[in-house]
Amino acid sequence: MKHIAVSAEHEYRVHLNVHFEGVLNEISQSHSKVFVIAPQYIVDNYHLTQFLHALDNTTLFVVPDGEHQKDISVIDQIWQGMGEAGLTRSDALVAIGGGATTDLGGFAAATWLRGVAWYAIPTTLAAMVDASVGGKTGINSHIGKNLIGSFHSPRGVHIDLRFLKTLSDRDFAAGLAEVIKVGFIRDSEILDILQSHNNVSKAHEVSEELIFRSIVVKADVVSQDFQESKLREILNYGHTFGHAIEKMSHYEIRHGEAVSVGLVFAAELSGKLLGLKEEVIELHRSILQQYDLPTSTKMPFAPILELMRSDKKARGSSLRFIGLNSIGSPHWLEDVTSDILETTYERIAE
Ligand SMILES: NC(=O)c1ccc[n+]([C@@H]2O[C@H](COP(=O)([O-])OP(=O)(O)OC[C@H]3O[C@@H](n4cnc5c(N)ncnc54)[C@H](O)[C@@H]3O)[C@@H](O)[C@H]2O)c1
Ligand SMILES: [Zn+2]
């Protein structure tokens, strides 16, 4: 087992390569009551009901699948469940699931009694390398995705790699898009590993190392800039464009798939504005394509531009992007004109 330390509003550790049963046992011994949330798929396939039944101070709450769980009506039911379970300040919540479940669970913990302890047990690659680490929690509303939330770090993140075995190739690849992002902004060794493990099943063989390397970078960046005043923005490489097409698809495409196209867009933009070498731009395409991740879009430019302007990461009306000078050297691009964005878009339009 390996640990990675994160320093945020409190210090906590990401524990890599644990068994979730042992983790739940330990958590249940350190709090008088534990409220566990998980989607049905995980409850059924990982026999959570039977396991938790043996720990008599736990309550299991099954959440809806996917993005639907990040809804105010679900939070309302969780609050009610925590109330009925008599969850007090010294008790804890555990979120077992993908990024949607850890976002939801973290937010429920942030709001109950003005903040109770919570633990993340991520079950998708996206949640392991990204969503469960960093303390951003939240839900969606009719106004937009992730607009309601709180910075509320978990007490611990516990990664059980066995969960990856049941993940679909599509979801595994979507998680890899975030790993590839980390390779370009900070850790080029990730890119070397991925080039020599050039399909999903080969990448599975090195998942522990890829997860470890990605979390080391995220933990370092978050520890320096928890509330995203500047440095943490580098983790948004590929995301301004990615969020826009994710929204235009009405969340039919995976977040990682949208980020994949966004990474190529950000690389092309960096070619124009920062002189990023053509071979590095092509490396974005070739690595992403190894995992069948999309690198172009059919969506029209005008609404994408509109959505990029309204991205919550925009400051005032200025459009900001993270670009690359070279591999490992991100650069903040401010006030990028719509003409430049349009000619960049033409490079990735189908
Ligand atoms: N807080 C953050 O910093 C942060 C960062 C990135 C993404 N996110 C959020 O994370 C979410 C995306 O994460 P995600 O892709 O994990 O989404 P998800 O939680 O919706 O999971 C995707 C699908 O995989 C299923 N699943 C989960 N674990 C499984 C397993 N082990 N085997 C088989 N199927 C499994 C889920 O039931 C779901 O259908 C979005 O809501 C996004 O906003 C948050
Ligand atoms: Zn992302």
Side-chain angles (χ1 to χ4, degrees), residues 129 175-195 209-218 221 234-235 237 239 259 263 276 280 283-284 287-288 323-324 326-330:
V129 297
L176 278 182
E178 300 281 0
V179 175
I180 294 167
K181 170 197 79 180
V182 175
F184 280 107
I185 59 172
R186 180 68 77 83
D187 181 0
S188 63
E189 182 73 24
I190 287 179
L191 303 177
D192 297 340
I193 297 169
L194 287 172
Q195 280 175 288
E209 173 151 24
L210 293 172
I211 292 166
F212 180 74
R213 287 182 168 276
S214 303
I215 295 172
V216 165
V217 172
K218 181 144 189 191
V221 169
I234 65 172
L235 300 171
Y237 183 54
H239 279 60
V259 167
L263 289 173
L276 182 66
V280 179
L283 188 62
H284 283 70
I287 294 187
L288 293 163
L324 273 193
S326 58
I327 295 174
S329 169

Side-chain angles (χ1 to χ4, degrees), residues 16 37 50 81 185-186 208 211 236 297 321 342 345:
L16 181 56
I37 68 163
Q50 295 89 315
I185 59 172
R186 180 68 77 83
E208 181 171 352
I211 292 166
N236 295 331
T297 183
F321 287 84
E342 188 159 13
Y345 163 81

Side-chain angles (χ1 to χ4, degrees), residues 14-288:
V14 181
H15 306 264
L16 181 56
N17 210 354
V18 300
H19 280 183
F20 77 87
E21 297 91 337
V23 171
L24 285 171
N25 251 322
E26 253 175 53
I27 296 171
S28 90
Q29 280 164 25
S30 30
H31 298 273
S32 33
K33 290 191 186 106
V34 179
F35 195 80
V36 179
I37 68 163
Q40 194 72 54
Y41 179 87
I42 295 293
V43 171
D44 293 345
N45 285 273
Y46 292 89
H47 313 295
L48 271 191
T49 313
Q50 295 89 315
F51 182 75
L52 291 175
H53 197 68
L55 305 175
D56 57 13
N57 61 344
T58 60
T59 304
L60 174 63
F61 183 97
V62 181
V63 293
D65 195 48
E67 217 46 39
H68 297 294
Q69 66 195 278
K70 287 174 64 174
D71 190 90
I72 186 73
S73 64
V74 180
I75 277 284
D76 193 28
Q77 290 163 27
I78 293 177
W79 286 329
Q80 196 173 326
M82 291 194 286
E84 284 163 9
L87 214 74
T88 69
R89 272 268 169 80
S90 54
D91 296 327
L93 180 146
V94 180
I96 311 180
T101 307
T102 55
D103 274 12
L104 171 75
F107 187 63
T111 45
W112 183 248
L113 304 179
R114 298 188 184 81
V116 294
W118 75 286
Y119 301 83
I121 302 185
T123 61
T124 63
L125 183 58
M128 292 175 186
V129 297
D130 200 4
S132 68
V133 182
K136 283 189 185 176
T137 72
I139 56 169
N140 306 328
S141 76
H142 63 276
I143 308 155
K145 189 172 140 86
N146 290 339
L147 289 178
I148 298 160
S150 171
F151 283 99
H152 185 59
S153 298
R155 293 287 146 164
V157 178
H158 302 269
I159 299 179
D160 185 337
L161 296 166
R162 295 174 301 171
F163 283 116
L164 294 178
K165 290 195 186 118
T166 52
L167 202 61
S168 68
D169 285 358
R170 184 178 177 189
D171 278 308
F172 187 81
L176 278 182
E178 300 281 0
V179 175
I180 294 167
K181 170 197 79 180
V182 175
F184 280 107
I185 59 172
R186 180 68 77 83
D187 181 0
S188 63
E189 182 73 24
I190 287 179
L191 303 177
D192 297 340
I193 297 169
L194 287 172
Q195 280 175 288
S196 55
H197 295 79
N198 56 1
N199 61 46
V200 165
S201 78
K202 287 188 190 160
H204 263 284
E205 292 165 15
V206 282
S207 56
E208 181 171 352
E209 173 151 24
L210 293 172
I211 292 166
F212 180 74
R213 287 182 168 276
S214 303
I215 295 172
V216 165
V217 172
K218 181 144 189 191
D220 178 56
V221 169
V222 167
S223 298
Q224 290 182 58
D225 179 20
F226 177 46
Q227 299 225 356
E228 200 168 287
S229 52
K230 185 157 187 196
L231 178 69
R232 189 168 175 167
E233 288 180 334
I234 65 172
L235 300 171
N236 295 331
Y237 183 54
H239 279 60
T240 310
F241 192 90
H243 280 145
I245 61 171
E246 187 183 7
K247 197 164 185 186
M248 273 178 75
S249 82
H250 301 288
Y251 304 99
E252 288 300 314
I253 57 174
R254 301 281 197 276
H255 174 73
E257 292 166 348
V259 167
S260 174
V261 182
L263 289 173
V264 181
F265 181 86
E268 289 282 2
L269 187 64
S270 306
K272 283 189 193 307
L273 295 176
L274 301 168
L276 182 66
K277 287 193 183 129
E278 192 57 38
E279 68 203 53
V280 179
I281 301 172
E282 278 318 306
L283 188 62
H284 283 70
R285 284 198 175 83
S286 63
I287 294 187
L288 293 163

